Coordinates of all heavy atoms in Angstrom, one line a residue:
M1 N 76.7 71.0 97.9 CA 76.6 69.5 98.1 C 75.2 69.2 98.7 O 74.6 68.2 98.3 CB 77.7 69.1 99.0 CG 77.8 67.7 99.2 SD 79.6 67.3 99.4 CE 79.6 66.9 101.2
K2 N 74.7 70.0 99.6 CA 73.4 69.8 100.2 C 72.4 69.9 99.1 O 71.4 69.1 99.1 CB 73.2 70.9 101.2 CG 71.8 70.9 101.8 CD 71.7 72.3 102.6 CE 70.3 72.4 103.2 NZ 70.1 73.8 103.6
N3 N 72.5 70.8 98.2 CA 71.5 71.1 97.2 C 71.7 70.2 96.0 O 70.7 69.8 95.4 CB 71.5 72.5 96.8 CG 71.2 73.5 98.0 OD1 70.4 73.2 98.8 ND2 72.0 74.5 98.1
T4 N 72.9 69.9 95.6 CA 73.1 69.2 94.4 C 73.2 67.7 94.6 O 72.9 66.9 93.7 CB 74.5 69.6 93.7 OG1 75.5 69.4 94.7 CG2 74.4 71.1 93.4
G5 N 73.6 67.3 95.8 CA 73.8 65.8 96.0 C 75.1 65.3 95.4 O 75.4 64.1 95.3
I6 N 75.9 66.3 94.9 CA 77.2 65.9 94.2 C 78.3 66.6 95.0 O 78.3 67.7 95.3 CB 77.2 66.5 92.7 CG1 75.9 66.0 92.0 CG2 78.5 66.1 92.0 CD1 76.1 64.6 91.3
C7 N 79.4 65.8 95.2 CA 80.6 66.3 95.8 C 81.3 67.3 94.9 O 81.6 66.9 93.8 CB 81.5 65.2 96.2 SG 83.1 65.7 96.9
P8 N 81.6 68.5 95.4 CA 82.3 69.5 94.5 C 83.7 69.2 94.3 O 84.4 69.7 93.5 CB 82.1 70.8 95.3 CG 81.9 70.4 96.7 CD 81.2 69.1 96.7
K9 N 84.3 68.3 95.1 CA 85.7 67.9 95.1 C 86.0 66.8 94.1 O 86.9 66.8 93.3 CB 86.2 67.6 96.4 CG 86.1 68.7 97.5 CD 86.9 69.9 97.2 CE 86.6 71.0 98.2 NZ 87.2 72.3 97.8
C10 N 85.1 65.8 94.1 CA 85.4 64.6 93.3 C 84.3 64.2 92.4 O 84.3 63.2 91.7 CB 85.8 63.4 94.2 SG 84.4 62.7 95.1
N11 N 83.2 65.0 92.4 CA 82.0 64.8 91.6 C 81.3 63.4 92.0 O 80.4 63.0 91.2 CB 82.3 64.8 90.1 CG 82.6 66.2 89.7 OD1 81.9 67.1 90.1 ND2 83.6 66.3 88.8
G12 N 81.6 62.9 93.2 CA 80.9 61.7 93.6 C 79.5 62.0 94.0 O 79.2 63.1 94.4
N13 N 78.6 61.0 93.9 CA 77.2 61.3 94.3 C 76.8 60.4 95.5 O 75.6 60.2 95.8 CB 76.2 61.2 93.2 CG 76.3 59.8 92.6 OD1 77.0 58.9 93.1 ND2 75.5 59.5 91.5
D14 N 77.8 59.9 96.2 CA 77.5 59.0 97.4 C 77.6 59.9 98.6 O 78.6 59.9 99.3 CB 78.5 57.9 97.4 CG 78.0 56.8 98.4 OD1 76.9 56.9 99.0 OD2 78.7 55.8 98.6
I15 N 76.6 60.7 98.8 CA 76.6 61.7 99.9 C 75.8 61.2 101.1 O 74.7 60.8 101.0 CB 76.0 63.1 99.4 CG1 76.7 63.5 98.1 CG2 76.2 64.1 100.5 CD1 78.2 63.8 98.2
L16 N 76.4 61.3 102.3 CA 75.8 60.9 103.5 C 75.4 62.1 104.3 O 76.2 63.1 104.4 CB 76.8 60.1 104.3 CG 76.3 59.0 105.3 CD1 75.6 57.9 104.5 CD2 77.5 58.5 106.0
K17 N 74.2 62.2 104.8 CA 73.8 63.3 105.6 C 73.8 62.8 107.1 O 73.2 61.9 107.5 CB 72.3 63.7 105.3 CG 71.9 64.9 106.2 CD 70.5 65.3 106.1 CE 70.2 66.4 107.0 NZ 68.7 66.8 107.1
V18 N 74.6 63.6 107.9 CA 74.7 63.3 109.3 C 74.0 64.5 110.0 O 74.5 65.6 110.1 CB 76.2 63.3 109.8 CG1 76.3 62.9 111.2 CG2 77.0 62.3 108.9
P19 N 72.8 64.2 110.6 CA 72.1 65.3 111.2 C 72.7 65.8 112.5 O 73.3 65.0 113.2 CB 70.7 64.6 111.5 CG 70.9 63.2 111.4 CD 72.2 62.9 110.6
G20 N 72.6 67.1 112.7 CA 73.2 67.7 113.9 C 72.3 67.2 115.1 O 71.1 67.0 115.0
K21 N 73.0 67.2 116.2 CA 72.2 66.9 117.4 C 72.9 67.5 118.6 O 74.0 68.0 118.6 CB 72.0 65.4 117.7 CG 73.4 64.7 117.9 CD 73.1 63.2 118.3 CE 74.5 62.5 118.5 NZ 74.4 61.1 118.8
S22 N 72.1 67.6 119.7 CA 72.6 68.3 120.9 C 72.5 67.3 122.1 O 71.4 67.0 122.5 CB 71.8 69.6 121.1 OG 72.2 70.2 122.3
G23 N 73.6 67.0 122.6 CA 73.6 66.1 123.8 C 74.1 66.8 125.0 O 74.4 68.0 125.0
A24 N 74.3 66.0 126.1 CA 74.9 66.6 127.3 C 76.3 67.1 127.1 O 77.0 66.6 126.3 CB 74.9 65.5 128.4
Y25 N 76.6 68.2 127.8 CA 77.9 68.8 127.8 C 78.3 69.2 126.4 O 79.5 69.1 126.0 CB 78.9 67.9 128.4 CG 78.5 67.4 129.7 CD1 78.1 66.0 129.9 CD2 78.4 68.2 130.8 CE1 77.7 65.6 131.1 CE2 78.0 67.8 132.1 CZ 77.6 66.5 132.2 OH 77.2 66.0 133.4
G26 N 77.4 69.6 125.5 CA 77.7 70.1 124.2 C 78.2 69.0 123.2 O 78.8 69.3 122.2
S27 N 77.9 67.7 123.5 CA 78.2 66.7 122.6 C 77.3 66.7 121.4 O 76.2 67.3 121.4 CB 78.1 65.3 123.3 OG 76.8 65.0 123.7
G28 N 77.7 66.1 120.3 CA 77.0 66.1 119.1 C 77.5 67.3 118.3 O 78.3 68.1 118.7
N29 N 77.0 67.4 117.0 CA 77.5 68.4 116.1 C 76.6 69.6 116.3 O 75.4 69.7 115.7 CB 77.5 67.9 114.7 CG 78.4 68.7 113.8 OD1 79.3 69.4 114.3 ND2 78.2 68.7 112.5
N30 N 77.0 70.7 117.0 CA 76.2 71.8 117.2 C 77.1 73.0 117.6 O 78.2 72.9 117.9 CB 75.1 71.5 118.3 CG 75.8 71.2 119.6 OD1 76.4 72.0 120.3 ND2 75.7 69.9 120.0
I31 N 76.4 74.2 117.7 CA 77.1 75.4 118.2 C 76.4 75.8 119.5 O 75.2 76.1 119.4 CB 77.1 76.5 117.2 CG1 77.8 76.0 115.9 CG2 77.7 77.8 117.7 CD1 77.7 77.0 114.7
Q32 N 77.1 75.9 120.6 CA 76.5 76.3 121.8 C 76.2 77.8 121.8 O 77.1 78.6 121.5 CB 77.4 76.0 123.0 CG 77.6 74.5 123.2 CD 76.3 73.9 123.7 OE1 75.6 74.4 124.5 NE2 76.0 72.7 123.1
V33 N 75.0 78.2 122.1 CA 74.7 79.7 122.2 C 74.1 80.1 123.5 O 73.7 81.1 123.8 CB 73.6 80.1 121.1 CG1 74.3 80.0 119.7 CG2 72.4 79.2 121.2
G34 N 74.2 79.1 124.5 CA 73.7 79.4 125.8 C 74.3 78.4 126.8 O 75.2 77.6 126.4
L35 N 73.6 78.3 127.9 CA 74.2 77.5 129.0 C 73.6 76.0 129.0 O 74.2 75.1 129.6 CB 73.9 78.1 130.3 CG 74.7 79.4 130.6 CD1 74.3 80.0 131.9 CD2 76.2 79.2 130.5
T36 N 72.5 75.8 128.3 CA 71.8 74.5 128.3 C 71.9 73.9 127.0 O 72.1 74.5 125.9 CB 70.4 74.6 128.8 OG1 69.6 75.2 127.7 CG2 70.3 75.5 130.0
I37 N 71.6 72.6 126.9 CA 71.5 71.9 125.6 C 70.4 72.3 124.8 O 70.3 72.1 123.6 CB 71.5 70.3 125.8 CG1 70.1 69.9 126.5 CG2 72.6 69.8 126.6 CD1 69.9 68.4 126.5
F38 N 69.4 73.1 125.4 CA 68.3 73.5 124.6 C 68.6 74.8 123.8 O 67.8 75.3 123.0 CB 67.1 73.8 125.5 CG 66.7 72.5 126.3 CD1 67.0 72.5 127.7 CD2 66.2 71.4 125.7 CE1 66.7 71.3 128.4 CE2 65.9 70.3 126.4 CZ 66.1 70.2 127.7
S39 N 69.8 75.4 124.1 CA 70.1 76.6 123.4 C 71.3 76.3 122.5 O 72.1 77.2 122.2 CB 70.5 77.7 124.4 OG 71.4 77.2 125.3
A40 N 71.3 75.1 121.9 CA 72.4 74.8 120.9 C 71.8 74.9 119.5 O 70.7 74.5 119.3 CB 73.0 73.5 121.2
V41 N 72.6 75.5 118.6 CA 72.2 75.5 117.2 C 72.7 74.2 116.6 O 73.9 74.0 116.7 CB 72.7 76.7 116.5 CG1 72.5 76.6 115.0 CG2 72.0 78.0 117.1
L42 N 71.8 73.4 115.9 CA 72.3 72.2 115.4 C 73.0 72.4 114.0 O 72.6 73.3 113.2 CB 71.1 71.2 115.2 CG 70.3 70.9 116.5 CD1 69.3 69.9 116.2 CD2 71.3 70.5 117.6
V43 N 74.0 71.6 113.8 CA 74.7 71.7 112.5 C 74.6 70.3 111.8 O 75.1 69.3 112.3 CB 76.2 72.0 112.8 CG1 77.0 72.2 111.5 CG2 76.3 73.3 113.6
D44 N 74.0 70.4 110.6 CA 73.9 69.1 109.8 C 75.2 69.0 109.0 O 75.7 70.0 108.5 CB 72.7 69.2 108.8 CG 71.4 69.1 109.6 OD1 71.4 68.5 110.7 OD2 70.4 69.5 109.0
R45 N 75.7 67.8 108.8 CA 76.9 67.6 108.1 C 76.7 66.7 106.9 O 76.0 65.7 107.1 CB 78.0 67.0 109.0 CG 79.4 66.9 108.4 CD 80.4 66.4 109.4 NE 80.7 67.3 110.4 CZ 81.2 67.0 111.6 NH1 81.5 65.8 111.9 NH2 81.6 67.9 112.5
Y46 N 77.2 67.1 105.8 CA 77.1 66.2 104.6 C 78.5 65.7 104.3 O 79.5 66.5 104.2 CB 76.6 67.0 103.4 CG 75.1 67.4 103.6 CD1 74.8 68.5 104.5 CD2 74.1 66.7 103.0 CE1 73.5 68.8 104.7 CE2 72.8 67.1 103.2 CZ 72.5 68.1 104.1 OH 71.2 68.5 104.3
V47 N 78.6 64.4 104.2 CA 79.9 63.8 104.0 C 79.9 63.0 102.6 O 79.0 62.2 102.3 CB 80.2 62.8 105.1 CG1 81.6 62.1 104.9 CG2 80.2 63.5 106.5
C48 N 81.0 63.2 101.8 CA 81.2 62.5 100.6 C 81.8 61.2 100.9 O 82.9 61.1 101.5 CB 82.0 63.3 99.6 SG 82.5 62.3 98.2
C49 N 81.2 60.1 100.6 CA 81.7 58.7 100.9 C 82.9 58.4 100.0 O 83.6 57.4 100.2 CB 80.7 57.7 100.8 SG 79.4 57.9 102.0
S50 N 83.0 59.1 98.9 CA 84.1 58.8 97.9 C 85.4 59.4 98.3 O 86.5 58.7 98.2 CB 83.7 59.3 96.5 OG 82.5 58.7 96.2
C51 N 85.4 60.6 98.8 CA 86.7 61.3 99.1 C 86.8 61.8 100.5 O 87.9 62.2 101.0 CB 87.0 62.4 98.1 SG 86.0 63.9 98.4
G52 N 85.7 61.8 101.2 CA 85.8 62.2 102.6 C 85.5 63.7 102.9 O 85.6 64.2 104.0
Y53 N 85.3 64.4 101.8 CA 85.0 65.9 101.9 C 83.7 66.0 102.7 O 82.8 65.2 102.6 CB 84.9 66.5 100.6 CG 84.5 68.0 100.6 CD1 85.4 68.9 101.0 CD2 83.2 68.4 100.3 CE1 85.0 70.3 101.1 CE2 82.8 69.7 100.3 CZ 83.7 70.7 100.7 OH 83.4 72.0 100.8
S54 N 83.7 67.0 103.6 CA 82.4 67.3 104.4 C 82.1 68.7 104.4 O 82.9 69.6 104.3 CB 82.6 66.8 105.8 OG 83.3 67.6 106.6
E55 N 80.8 69.0 104.4 CA 80.2 70.3 104.4 C 79.2 70.4 105.6 O 78.5 69.5 105.9 CB 79.4 70.4 103.1 CG 79.5 71.7 102.4 CD 78.8 71.7 101.0 OE1 77.5 71.4 101.0 OE2 79.4 71.8 100.0
E56 N 79.2 71.6 106.2 CA 78.3 71.8 107.3 C 77.3 72.9 107.1 O 77.6 73.9 106.5 CB 79.1 72.1 108.6 CG 80.0 71.0 108.9 CD 80.6 71.1 110.3 OE1 80.9 72.3 110.7 OE2 80.8 70.1 111.0
W57 N 76.0 72.6 107.4 CA 74.9 73.5 107.2 C 74.1 73.8 108.5 O 73.9 72.8 109.2 CB 74.0 73.0 106.1 CG 74.6 73.0 104.8 CD1 75.5 72.1 104.3 CD2 74.4 73.9 103.7 NE1 75.9 72.4 103.0 CE2 75.2 73.5 102.6 CE3 73.6 75.1 103.6 CZ2 75.2 74.3 101.4 CZ3 73.6 75.8 102.4 CH2 74.4 75.4 101.3
I58 N 73.6 75.0 108.6 CA 72.8 75.4 109.7 C 71.5 75.8 109.2 O 71.4 76.5 108.2 CB 73.5 76.5 110.5 CG1 74.8 76.0 111.2 CG2 72.6 77.2 111.5 CD1 75.7 77.0 111.7
N59 N 70.4 75.4 109.9 CA 69.1 75.8 109.5 C 68.9 77.4 109.4 O 69.5 78.1 110.3 CB 68.0 75.3 110.6 CG 67.7 73.9 110.3 OD1 67.8 73.4 109.2 ND2 67.3 73.2 111.4
K60 N 68.2 77.8 108.4 CA 68.0 79.2 108.3 C 67.4 79.9 109.5 O 67.8 81.0 109.8 CB 67.1 79.5 107.0 CG 67.9 79.6 105.7 CD 67.0 80.3 104.7 CE 67.7 80.3 103.3 NZ 66.9 79.8 102.3
E61 N 66.5 79.2 110.1 CA 65.8 79.8 111.3 C 66.9 80.1 112.4 O 66.7 80.9 113.3 CB 64.7 78.9 111.9 CG 63.7 78.4 110.9 CD 64.1 77.1 110.3 OE1 64.0 76.1 110.9 OE2 64.6 77.1 109.1
D62 N 67.9 79.3 112.4 CA 68.9 79.4 113.5 C 70.0 80.5 113.2 O 70.7 80.8 114.1 CB 69.6 78.1 113.7 CG 68.7 77.0 114.3 OD1 67.8 77.4 115.0 OD2 68.8 75.8 114.0
I63 N 70.0 81.0 112.0 CA 71.0 82.0 111.7 C 70.8 83.3 112.6 O 71.7 83.9 113.1 CB 70.9 82.4 110.2 CG1 71.1 81.2 109.3 CG2 71.9 83.5 109.9 CD1 72.5 80.6 109.4
E64 N 69.5 83.6 112.8 CA 69.2 84.8 113.6 C 69.7 84.6 115.0 O 70.2 85.5 115.7 CB 67.7 85.1 113.6 CG 67.1 85.7 112.3 CD 67.9 86.9 112.0 OE1 68.1 87.8 112.8 OE2 68.2 87.1 110.8
T65 N 69.6 83.4 115.5 CA 70.0 83.1 116.9 C 71.6 83.3 116.9 O 72.1 83.9 117.9 CB 69.8 81.6 117.2 OG1 68.4 81.3 117.0 CG2 70.1 81.3 118.7
L66 N 72.2 82.8 115.9 CA 73.7 83.0 115.9 C 74.1 84.5 115.8 O 75.0 84.9 116.5 CB 74.3 82.3 114.7 CG 74.3 80.8 114.8 CD1 74.9 80.2 113.5 CD2 75.2 80.3 116.0
K67 N 73.3 85.2 115.0 CA 73.6 86.7 114.9 C 73.4 87.4 116.2 O 74.2 88.3 116.5 CB 72.6 87.3 113.8 CG 73.1 87.1 112.4 CD 72.1 87.9 111.5 CE 72.6 88.0 110.1 NZ 71.7 88.6 109.2
D68 N 72.4 87.0 117.0 CA 72.2 87.6 118.3 C 73.4 87.3 119.2 O 73.7 88.1 120.0 CB 70.9 87.0 118.9 CG 69.7 87.6 118.3 OD1 69.8 88.6 117.5 OD2 68.6 87.1 118.6
R69 N 73.9 86.1 119.1 CA 74.9 85.7 120.0 C 76.3 86.1 119.7 O 77.1 86.4 120.6 CB 74.8 84.1 120.1 CG 75.7 83.4 121.0 CD 75.4 83.8 122.5 NE 76.3 83.1 123.4 CZ 77.6 83.5 123.6 NH1 78.0 84.5 123.0 NH2 78.3 82.8 124.4
F70 N 76.6 86.2 118.4 CA 78.0 86.4 118.0 C 78.2 87.7 117.3 O 77.3 88.3 116.7 CB 78.5 85.3 117.1 CG 78.6 84.0 117.9 CD1 77.6 83.0 117.7 CD2 79.6 83.7 118.8 CE1 77.6 81.8 118.4 CE2 79.6 82.5 119.4 CZ 78.7 81.6 119.2
Ligands
LIG101 ZN1 84.1 63.6 97.1

């Protein structure tokens, strides 16, 4: 969906990108990998406005961080 811009469930093309962010106390869409908000891996979410299906993506650079942590 991120690459095609098309929903795999309903073939809709009204895709919304919700960028990941890191706020206080782990708010926002992210994965905590440490004790501070600076050590959170951000998760971008793609939402289909037609059927509500959503997909989550993590930056490639952050994959290594996750591998170290989990
Ligand atoms: Zn859809």
Side-chain angles (χ1 to χ4, degrees):
M1 185 145 106
K2 174 191 177 196
N3 301 317
T4 60
I6 305 274
C7 172
K9 302 296 178 191
C10 72
N11 289 321
N13 61 2
D14 195 5
I15 308 297
L16 207 65
K17 182 189 177 186
V18 184
K21 64 175 181 184
S22 177
Y25 310 109
S27 64
N29 201 21
N30 60 68
I31 298 171
Q32 293 293 316
V33 290
L35 295 175
T36 73
I37 62 170
F38 303 109
S39 53
V41 169
L42 302 185
V43 182
D44 290 335
R45 186 179 287 162
Y46 292 77
V47 179
C48 171
C49 297
S50 304
C51 73
Y53 176 73
S54 77
E55 218 173 62
E56 296 193 326
W57 290 79
I58 289 164
N59 279 335
K60 271 197 185 130
E61 309 90 77
D62 291 330
I63 301 293
E64 287 304 315
T65 308
L66 286 177
K67 276 185 168 175
D68 285 350
R69 181 66 179 76
F70 295 101

